[in-house]
Amino acid sequence: SAFSRANIIYTGTPVRKEFYLIGKTSPPDKGEKQNILIISGSQRNHAINQAVIDALPYLLPQQNQFAFTHQSGSADYAYVKQNYDREGFRAEVLEYIDDMPKMYAKAHLVICQGGGSTMAELHASRRPAIIIPAIAAQKQQTYNALGIQELGIAKIIPEPELTGETLAEALQNIGNHPE
């Protein structure tokens, strides 16, 4: 048969080679700020956008510690940008990111959902992450996220437990213990 074991090669999820190159280097020197990359680009990721905005008041004491690059998607773009500006946080808000490897390369931490391609990029790039499995695909995304968490580079916050406070607490813990 065409599908005999001898004819099958397991390849995994395709990942661009740039992500593997990132994984061979350390994140950039933090200096005074940690670069936080937030990947929340589709309509169903409103929960991440909302939680980040709700986390900002909790992060005010550490405001100068963080710089955000936030892919908000087009639906939430104005809302997200306006709230970063209102709270006085340094943030680059984008509807879409054309060069994702570049953003991973400068990130100290990624906040994202647990989709398979994103988990493959995190695995290859070795960037620490806060992963928020989507409620609609929670079982699948949770299993994806567990694989990254087992590498010791991720914290999982299930979407039903996601609030501004829980996200701020996770960021503060990472900020206080950056290793």
Side-chain angles (χ1 to χ4, degrees):
S1 138
F3 295 106
S4 70
R5 285 192 176 266
N7 294 332
I8 296 174
I9 298 171
Y10 175 76
T11 60
T13 303
V15 178
R16 289 181 281 178
K17 68 180 177 183
E18 293 88 349
F19 288 99
Y20 289 101
L21 296 173
I22 294 165
K24 294 178 180 178
T25 62
S26 298
D29 182 17
K30 288 186 182 167
E32 295 181 16
K33 294 195 184 278
Q34 293 186 61
N35 297 316
I36 311 298
L37 172 61
I38 301 154
I39 305 169
S40 178
S42 72
Q43 306 86 346
R44 70 173 198 238
N45 290 353
H46 177 75
I48 292 176
N49 290 335
Q50 187 64 55
V52 171
I53 296 309
D54 291 347
L56 296 178
Y58 295 100
L59 297 172
L60 280 172
Q62 295 90 20
Q63 180 177 18
N64 294 325
Q65 184 178 335
F66 299 109
F68 296 92
T69 301
H70 190 139
Q71 179 184 323
S72 65
S74 57
D76 283 350
Y77 173 80
Y79 170 74
V80 170
K81 181 156 180 35
Q82 177 185 34
N83 278 280
Y84 277 116
D85 292 345
R86 186 190 73 221
E87 296 292 344
F89 280 85
R90 182 175 160 210
E92 178 182 17
V93 181
L94 305 162
E95 289 182 33
Y96 181 79
I97 295 174
D98 290 313
D99 190 351
M100 196 61 79
K102 177 182 175 185
M103 296 303 173
Y104 270 78
K106 72 177 193 173
H108 296 106
L109 176 77
V110 179
I111 298 173
C112 58
Q113 287 190 321
S117 293
T118 302
M119 296 302 95
E121 292 168 356
L122 284 174
H123 184 270
S125 69
R126 297 296 209 223
R127 288 303 187 247
I130 296 172
I131 304 169
I132 301 147
I135 227 166
Q138 188 143 19
K139 241 182 188 174
Q140 171 196 350
Q141 289 200 2
T142 298
Y143 291 134
N144 293 344
L146 286 170
I148 302 300
Q149 185 178 42
E150 288 172 6
L151 295 173
I153 60 171
K155 173 176 178 44
I156 298 172
I157 302 175
E159 192 173 318
E161 297 173 23
L162 179 65
T163 65
E165 187 173 6
T166 59
L167 185 57
E169 183 179 300
L171 281 167
Q172 288 165 334
N173 287 337
I174 291 165
N176 293 332
H177 306 286
E179 62 282 344

